[in-house]
Amino acid sequence: MTNCLHPSGRWLLILLLALLAGCGNKNRLVVYADPWLSEYAQRVTAAFQVAHPETEIQLKLLSTEVIVQHIRYGQPVDVILCMGSELYTQQDFRDEIAVETVLAPSQVVQLVQAGQDFQTKQEAMGTRYCTMMEASDRPMRQYVEQWEQGAAAQKSCTIIANFQRQAMDYMLRGWVPTGYMPIHFASAHPNQFRQLARGPLIPNAFTGILLRNAPHQALASAYFASLTSEKSIKILGELKFLP
């Protein structure tokens, strides 16, 4: 059989196949992060990207309980940055963990709006005497429930936030006068809120995890190591996760 491709066509085909092969071999890293760690995850990932410009990094922001489900059901993940990893005791999930490192401690704090600017809005919305909490399967809600004041809070009018961005909006926009939030949120907005109470310190509230079966082991290990670097610690400090 004769080759009917023109010589220039053959070179174009060879070039195309080479490009496709290069794309298939491109370095890749998959990182999942809890939304409470979104800004930290974005910054530490951007720094890693600068040091590894040839790497394709996928950063996905999902609540920790959803991340756990993704891992349990075989979603390819290299590293996770999570909140409340100790709350997830399922053995199949624990077996997937190769190494953990504590990123930052935290506390649950009960906050109240420091000023009176939002009272009219709250009265119009019917939330003047309500308290905001996250949904029951979120780590923040579980921390509140473990704190003895959480049971008392649930007996009053309670507004439920289904995710982290919603919890922040309820508080920052003054839709509710009080709410339970992580202490780094309170530290980042010292003029808008007063702390009514603090729960116990949670030493390992925010955790980085290297997965045992990470699809991209070398890159995953390098990224995981960067979580304990001076740059990482500086970012955590700037975002008020650290004192």
Side-chain angles (χ1 to χ4, degrees), residues 16-116:
L16 177 60
L17 291 173
L19 288 172
L20 289 173
C23 290
N25 293 328
K26 185 173 183 178
N27 294 329
R28 188 178 177 194
L29 182 68
V30 180
V31 180
Y32 277 31
D34 188 276
W36 281 117
L37 285 161
S38 58
E39 190 170 352
Y40 166 76
Q42 289 161 357
R43 291 178 61 178
V44 77
T45 299
F48 188 81
Q49 183 75 83
V50 170
H52 299 79
E54 76 289 351
T55 299
E56 174 193 337
I57 304 177
Q58 292 187 2
L59 175 60
K60 303 182 181 183
L61 301 177
L62 291 172
S63 296
T64 294
E65 68 279 4
V66 177
I67 295 173
V68 170
Q69 293 302 318
H70 278 224
I71 293 168
R72 292 182 69 198
Y73 291 105
Q75 191 74 14
V77 185
D78 294 302
V79 177
I80 62 175
L81 310 176
C82 61
M83 182 181 190
S85 64
E86 79 281 1
L87 298 174
Y88 302 94
T89 58
Q90 303 96 323
Q91 194 58 48
D92 58 346
F93 168 65
R94 305 308 306 181
D95 288 344
E96 290 297 319
I97 298 174
V99 193
E100 291 184 73
T101 186
V102 174
L103 300 175
S106 191
Q107 287 175 287
V108 177
V109 292
Q110 187 180 19
L111 301 179
V112 63
Q113 298 286 342
Q116 307 298 314

Side-chain angles (χ1 to χ4, degrees), residues 1-18:
M1 180 182 293
T2 59
N3 190 335
C4 58
L5 274 180
H6 188 275
S8 61
R10 287 200 297 273
W11 281 112
L12 287 173
L13 179 59
I14 292 170
L15 179 60
L16 177 60
L17 291 173

Side-chain angles (χ1 to χ4, degrees), residues 21-235:
C23 290
N25 293 328
K26 185 173 183 178
N27 294 329
R28 188 178 177 194
L29 182 68
V30 180
V31 180
Y32 277 31
D34 188 276
W36 281 117
L37 285 161
S38 58
E39 190 170 352
Y40 166 76
Q42 289 161 357
R43 291 178 61 178
V44 77
T45 299
F48 188 81
Q49 183 75 83
V50 170
H52 299 79
E54 76 289 351
T55 299
E56 174 193 337
I57 304 177
Q58 292 187 2
L59 175 60
K60 303 182 181 183
L61 301 177
L62 291 172
S63 296
T64 294
E65 68 279 4
V66 177
I67 295 173
V68 170
Q69 293 302 318
H70 278 224
I71 293 168
R72 292 182 69 198
Y73 291 105
Q75 191 74 14
V77 185
D78 294 302
V79 177
I80 62 175
L81 310 176
C82 61
M83 182 181 190
S85 64
E86 79 281 1
L87 298 174
Y88 302 94
T89 58
Q90 303 96 323
Q91 194 58 48
D92 58 346
F93 168 65
R94 305 308 306 181
D95 288 344
E96 290 297 319
I97 298 174
V99 193
E100 291 184 73
T101 186
V102 174
L103 300 175
S106 191
Q107 287 175 287
V108 177
V109 292
Q110 187 180 19
L111 301 179
V112 63
Q113 298 286 342
Q116 307 298 314
D117 300 343
F118 301 109
Q119 283 193 14
T120 301
K121 180 188 296 185
Q122 292 159 10
E123 288 168 359
M125 296 176 67
T127 59
R128 183 73 189 93
Y129 301 101
C130 293
T131 298
M132 189 282 303
M133 302 175 73
E134 286 200 44
S136 59
D137 57 347
R138 301 288 191 264
M140 269 298 302
R141 175 65 173 270
Q142 293 184 54
Y143 285 145
V144 171
E145 290 175 341
Q146 290 175 7
W147 179 24
E148 60 182 4
Q149 293 192 18
Q154 294 177 65
K155 296 175 184 177
S156 63
C157 168
T158 304
I159 300 294
I160 301 300
N162 289 315
F163 44 87
Q164 177 255 12
R165 181 68 256 177
Q166 190 177 47
M168 292 178 64
D169 284 344
Y170 277 135
M171 298 303 294
L172 291 173
R173 299 182 183 185
W175 292 340
V176 289
T178 63
Y180 290 94
M181 299 291 276
I183 194 168
H184 76 271
F185 174 87
S187 300
H189 305 90
N191 299 323
Q192 187 168 343
F193 304 103
R194 289 186 294 106
Q195 294 184 31
L196 295 179
R198 287 191 186 191
L201 182 70
I202 307 160
N204 58 340
F206 295 102
T207 306
I209 294 177
L210 175 65
L211 276 300
R212 189 176 305 279
N213 297 314
H216 315 98
Q217 278 287 344
L219 280 169
S221 296
Y223 183 94
F224 184 79
S226 76
L227 301 179
T228 58
S229 68
E230 290 185 8
K231 184 183 291 290
S232 170
I233 293 169
K234 181 180 179 181
I235 293 170

